[in-house]
Amino acid sequence: MKYEPLNNIGVMIHAVDLDITKFVNDKLKAIQLTNEQNLLMALLWEREGISQNEMAAKLNKDKAGIARMISTLEKKGYIRRKSCPNDKRSVEVYLTEEGRKLGDDVIPINKNIIQALNNGMTEEEIGELRRLLMKIRGNVNIL
């Protein structure tokens, strides 16, 4: 195999990730929500009361980064934190009424984003892409 450090699948995936992040940030700019904040809110629109640790695990983010995002979203008035009744060291996160209303605006945008990303691909191709990406993820996680 010829060594071409800038012509490999990792570089291509990174470039696509940057393009997707810019695309999503552009779509959410008017709402003043970043791609990362959107992912966190999406977790809460699916299920409230999720812990900060669970958010970090689901989003594959460090706990400090999740805590900063939660703090920012709390200042915007979209979420609130509550101590877990079973474990006082753990914090659960809930939507405020404003956070629920935000979902009415953002969820349709998220659906359009997904549709745009999947444009021109069949369900089989999307499934194959997911399978291949998970295979790559597994390859780097065993190193």
Side-chain angles (χ1 to χ4, degrees):
M1 177 195 283
K2 184 178 175 186
Y3 175 66
E4 298 179 67
L6 299 180
N7 186 22
N8 69 71
I9 199 155
V11 172
M12 181 178 275
I13 290 170
H14 178 66
V16 170
D17 178 52
L18 291 173
D19 289 343
I20 291 170
T21 299
K22 182 184 180 321
F23 176 75
V24 173
N25 283 336
D26 288 347
K27 296 290 182 190
L28 297 171
K29 190 174 192 172
I31 298 172
Q32 297 182 349
L33 202 64
T34 67
N35 179 48
E36 298 284 319
Q37 293 168 352
N38 183 37
L39 292 173
L40 197 143
M41 293 298 292
L43 287 176
L44 293 171
W45 290 321
E46 280 187 350
R47 181 174 64 95
E48 290 188 59
I50 189 170
S51 73
Q52 286 184 218
N53 291 341
E54 195 174 347
M55 286 179 169
K58 283 185 178 280
L59 297 177
N60 197 29
K61 301 282 180 193
D62 64 279
K63 293 175 188 176
I66 292 292
R68 282 190 302 274
M69 274 194 285
I70 287 172
S71 180
T72 299
L73 291 168
E74 198 171 34
K75 287 175 187 166
K76 290 181 177 185
Y78 297 142
I79 61 174
R80 63 182 172 80
R81 293 183 247 204
K82 183 178 173 186
S83 293
C84 180
N86 301 335
D87 182 359
K88 295 294 180 195
R89 296 170 297 169
S90 185
V91 175
E92 295 174 340
V93 183
Y94 294 86
L95 294 167
T96 63
E97 191 56 40
E98 193 173 342
R100 281 187 201 89
K101 287 179 188 172
L102 181 69
D104 295 338
D105 294 328
V106 176
I107 290 170
I109 294 170
N110 285 343
K111 288 179 181 179
N112 289 335
I113 289 168
I114 292 166
Q115 188 175 18
L117 294 177
N118 293 345
N119 188 33
M121 291 191 282
T122 66
E123 289 296 323
E124 292 79 20
E125 288 172 325
I126 294 166
E128 181 67 3
L129 179 58
R130 285 179 190 207
R131 186 188 71 75
L132 292 171
L133 289 170
M134 292 308 293
K135 189 172 191 174
I136 292 168
R137 190 175 191 192
N139 288 345
V140 297
N141 284 329
I142 61 171
L143 298 177

